[in-house]
Amino acid sequence: MNTESFNLDHRAVAAPYVRIADTKRLSDTVVVKKYDVRFCQPNVDHLESDVMHSLEHTFSEAVRNHSDDVIDFSPMGCQTGFYFILAGEHPLEDVRDLIAAGMQDVVDATEVPASNIQQCGWAANHTLSGAQDAARTFLARRDEWSQVMA
Ligand SMILES: [Zn+2]
């Protein structure tokens, strides 16, 4: 299929993990990579909408303090994880370290950034504590992030 993740057997993976989902070489010097940041085992578990939303806001804002190469961090529709898009070539372990740094910032956050009606499209749909619990659980299994397949 056209979409890379539709060719991934979701029964065969072992969440949590971080893997490269796509690479686009735009020129000899410019590359963009998309990472699959999977929190939950597909078809077994998922994150609630408000947890996804607050993780998106808080991580998106925090991770940019650690890297200028961040293009996007956005929720998967199945609510089992996120897509993370970075410019440039980075060793996958460095990307995992970057994600860990951003998730630690979520754990340490005192508010969900931009969770108001001026800056967000559904400002009532947030939970800082829910996002922090999910980030804490994800971080606690950091040693499993490099194993994608069960
Ligand atoms: Zn929002």
Side-chain angles (χ1 to χ4, degrees):
M1 296 188 75
N2 293 331
T3 304
E4 190 275 349
S5 67
F6 295 166
N7 298 315
L8 176 74
D9 186 345
H10 286 65
R11 300 166 301 182
V13 300
Y17 62 78
V18 176
R19 73 180 183 96
I20 296 173
D22 200 6
T23 299
K24 289 278 183 272
R25 192 161 293 284
L26 306 181
S27 74
D28 287 346
T29 54
V30 180
V31 65
V32 173
K33 293 191 183 192
K34 175 181 176 182
Y35 301 87
D36 173 345
V37 183
R38 192 76 62 161
F39 271 60
C40 301
Q41 186 63 27
N43 301 296
V44 173
D45 198 11
H46 66 273
L47 298 174
E48 296 305 323
S49 165
D50 54 354
V51 173
M52 296 289 294
H53 191 189
S54 294
L55 265 170
E56 177 202 9
H57 273 237
T58 312
F59 181 90
S60 292
E61 183 66 12
V63 76
R64 288 178 166 91
N65 292 327
H66 300 283
S67 171
D68 292 330
D69 290 337
V70 176
I71 295 174
D72 189 41
F73 179 74
S74 43
M76 294 177 178
C78 60
Q79 298 179 212
T80 62
F82 298 83
Y83 287 115
F84 187 41
I85 303 177
L86 286 178
E89 290 281 6
H90 303 277
L92 189 47
E93 268 313 296
D94 289 1
V95 174
R96 293 187 179 114
D97 287 344
L98 175 62
I99 292 167
M103 289 299 164
Q104 186 59 51
D105 291 344
V106 173
V107 170
D108 297 336
T110 55
E111 62 175 0
V112 177
S115 56
N116 59 71
I117 60 170
Q118 182 187 340
Q119 295 173 294
C120 175
W122 190 9
N125 179 239
H126 281 288
T127 169
L128 176 61
S129 61
Q132 289 174 317
D133 287 347
R136 207 177 282 115
T137 301
F138 187 61
L139 279 171
R141 299 176 71 182
R142 169 71 176 82
D143 60 341
E144 299 174 44
W145 292 4
S146 56
Q147 184 182 342
V148 177
M149 292 299 171

